Amino acid sequence: GENVEQHPSTLSVQEGDSAVIKCTYSDSASNYFPWYKQELGKGPQLIIDIRSNVGEKKDQRIAVTLNKTAKHFSLHITETQPEDSAVYFCAASGGNTPLVFGKGTRLSVIA
Amino acid sequence: KAGVTQTPRYLIKTRGQQVTLSCSPISGHRSVSWYQQTPGQGLQFLFEYFSETQRNKGNFPGRFSGRQFSNSRSEMNVSTLELGDSALYLCASSFPRTDSPLHFGNGTRLTVT
């Protein structure tokens, strides 16, 4: 089955700097790659997703890139703000299989 | 549009007991998935229901079961609770396509003592 590895597990950045989180997946049939943000006491919230027919997608300060050949995808957050502090999860799915999540990255933005 | 609603938010049970958790999906969403979240294992898939039928099942023992009703609401049940079942149980709803985004509720925090 699918296996998703996520790095780093923790990340601290200064406010205004960029943050990058990387994930790799194992199943070449996977074609959907969402990213979720989870704040304390809440469930994960979708922040951006990308499908395998697209190499990059951007939404304001957030962007995701996908390299299907290398089976990795990344989340980029620019101009980080304290409210970006949370746990971020990548995930992958394909065909009729459920979403498989990475173990998460705890991002701390230091003011 | 109301989000995914999970009840109760918190539960404390004793080993050996059973528990039932409830999930009301977003209106129009007919697929409901359940995940277990623990600090060590992250988010692990339990099962998915669509049109009252289990469509996918994760690698959990038979003590974990679920069902879906005709109005798409779902319940999951854990019997003979073990200490290791302590976790945040998350329900997510979506349209029934694998590339359809999952929308999560805020979960039920289960503590087994």
Side-chain angles (χ1 to χ4, degrees), chain B residues 4-61:
Chain B
V4 176
T5 303
Q6 291 188 248
T7 56
R9 285 298 311 274
Y10 303 94
L11 266 177
I12 300 175
K13 292 285 187 179
T14 304
R15 270 181 303 174
Q17 289 186 314
Q18 74 164 12
V19 67
T20 299
L21 313 182
S22 181
C23 172
S24 293
I26 290 172
S27 178
H29 285 184
R30 295 171 59 200
S31 175
V32 173
S33 299
W34 289 88
Y35 284 81
Q36 182 196 64
Q37 185 175 25
T38 58
Q41 297 299 318
L43 283 144
Q44 292 192 290
F45 173 75
L46 282 156
F47 25 65
E48 179 198 3
Y49 286 88
F50 170 65
S51 289
E52 302 177 64
T53 301
Q54 188 179 87
R55 192 159 71 162
N56 278 300
K57 187 178 189 305
N59 192 25
F60 278 81

Side-chain angles (χ1 to χ4, degrees), chain A residues 9-70:
Chain A
S9 57
T10 60
L11 178 60
S12 290
V13 299
Q14 291 291 131
E15 182 178 359
D17 286 352
S18 295
V20 180
I21 303 170
K22 299 183 179 182
C23 289
T24 60
Y25 62 99
S26 61
D27 189 350
S28 57
S30 288
N31 57 11
Y32 176 60
F33 308 92
W35 287 87
Y36 285 83
K37 174 184 180 183
Q38 187 174 27
E39 296 175 321
L40 200 60
K42 295 186 177 181
Q45 299 296 307
L46 178 73
I47 54 172
I48 194 167
D49 58 9
I50 191 167
R51 290 166 176 79
S52 59
N53 57 346
V54 175
E56 184 173 357
K57 184 177 178 180
K58 191 173 182 181
D59 183 4
Q60 299 183 334
R61 297 186 296 109
I62 294 173
V64 58
T65 59
L66 171 65
N67 183 327
K68 284 218 72 180
T69 304

